[in-house]
Amino acid sequence: MACLPCVPVTMALKPHQIQPPPPAVTTNAPDVAHQKIYRVAVEREFTPLIVPGEQGRVTGFEADVLEAVGNEQGFGVEFLPMDWQQVFPQLDEGNVDVAGSGIIMTEERLQKWDFSDPFIVAKYAVVVPTDSTITKSEDLRDKRVAVQPDSAFAEFARSKANDIMDTKTIWMSIKAVITKEADAAMVNTVIAEHFVAKYPNEVKVVAFTNDADIPLGYALKKGNGELQAQINEGLAKIKASGEYDKLKAKWDIK
């Protein structure tokens, strides 16, 4: 069995309190004094989309895509890693310009925030033990499903399963499956495929292809049309140039 990081699977979640934004740990920007730099709230780790790098630098597919967009559009980005429960409050308070970390563009969120065009489209999926008989979302009804609370994953899981196990991070959800404390971990296909590649003898992915697509985008405060347009234009450029496909290959995104 692959070696697992020594972290507790579950922990008590404190009530939501808006905290001051942490200092940015990385600036992905050329050394141009007058260049606009946007602050981006992200979860501390959301592999493979947001990945802690060397010397505190934030990497991952989603971070690299936004950096490439900024290079095309002439702006820089500063990433501020924090707990997931703080990402949207920091955006609402105006402490950051963008919120990220695999944010699913649900109807409810689209009413509260503006979004870029999707940087990728996935499916809901579960990571399950290799001998699991789960094949579709309806099979979750009598199973214990690990999920990160206050997320679109949690909303979907609660609509399908009766026994929900809250974990602080996505990795803790995955670990709960590996250690047999949960029958499934609710994620999306991008995350699921990453962890199955890492732990092929312990888990497999079941994609819910019959359920709706889930577009992932960068969230902005309502009315920030200028930045929204810049990101969308940059996304189109890096897709046309082939840079987007290079980043997908770098992070092994299908």
Side-chain angles (χ1 to χ4, degrees):
M1 177 179 288
C3 181
L4 306 180
C6 295
V7 294
V9 173
T10 60
M11 64 174 61
L13 297 174
K14 297 180 180 179
H16 297 183
Q17 297 176 339
I18 297 175
Q19 312 253 343
V25 297
T26 179
T27 302
N28 297 344
D31 187 15
V32 179
H34 64 272
Q35 184 183 49
K36 177 67 176 178
I37 295 178
Y38 293 108
R39 290 158 67 84
V40 185
V42 294
E43 190 173 359
R44 299 182 194 282
E45 181 174 0
F46 200 76
T47 305
L49 300 179
I50 300 294
V51 181
E54 295 181 359
Q55 299 180 334
R57 183 176 175 84
V58 173
T59 62
F61 175 69
E62 181 178 349
D64 286 0
V65 166
L66 190 55
E67 178 182 358
V69 166
N71 290 339
E72 284 287 347
Q73 298 300 101
F75 65 79
V77 290
E78 289 181 336
F79 294 102
L80 287 79
M82 60 190 70
D83 290 344
W84 165 247
Q85 286 80 10
Q86 290 296 317
V87 170
F88 280 116
Q90 291 297 329
L91 181 62
D92 292 339
E93 289 293 304
N95 294 326
V96 298
D97 305 290
V98 181
S101 299
I103 296 177
I104 298 172
M105 300 163 62
T106 64
E107 288 300 322
E108 180 181 1
R109 288 174 175 169
L110 288 169
Q111 293 175 11
K112 294 181 179 179
W113 301 283
D114 284 338
F115 277 85
S116 68
D117 291 337
F119 62 84
I120 198 165
V121 177
K123 287 281 190 181
Y124 283 111
V126 285
V127 172
V128 298
T130 53
D131 60 354
S132 174
T133 59
I134 295 172
T135 61
K136 56 187 182 300
S137 58
E138 288 73 19
D139 295 337
L140 299 175
R141 185 58 58 195
D142 62 346
K143 305 297 184 183
R144 192 174 200 208
V145 180
V147 69
Q148 186 179 36
D150 302 308
S151 66
F153 299 141
E155 294 176 13
F156 186 79
R158 293 182 194 282
S159 73
K160 300 294 183 179
N162 295 321
D163 187 359
I164 300 296
M165 176 184 181
D166 287 341
T167 66
K168 186 172 176 61
T169 67
I170 291 295
W171 160 242
M172 291 180 183
S173 294
I174 303 294
K175 186 182 178 186
V177 174
I178 296 174
T179 57
K180 306 294 186 180
E181 296 178 68
D183 299 303
M186 179 65 68
V187 289
N188 63 38
T189 46
V190 175
I191 296 170
E193 288 162 359
H194 169 81
F195 281 105
V196 168
K198 191 171 184 178
Y199 301 104
N201 297 324
E202 289 82 22
V203 293
K204 65 181 180 181
V205 56
V206 177
F208 298 144
T209 56
N210 292 331
D211 294 291
D213 288 340
I214 49 174
L216 312 183
Y218 302 104
L220 308 95
K221 290 188 74 171
K222 282 288 186 182
N224 196 349
E226 179 180 354
L227 179 53
Q228 183 184 44
Q230 284 195 69
I231 294 175
N232 289 344
E233 183 177 332
L235 275 172
K237 287 180 179 178
I238 66 171
K239 287 181 178 180
S241 71
E243 180 65 19
Y244 178 85
D245 288 335
K246 291 179 181 178
L247 292 175
K248 287 184 72 175
K250 172 184 175 181
W251 292 101
D252 197 23
I253 304 293
K254 301 297 189 289

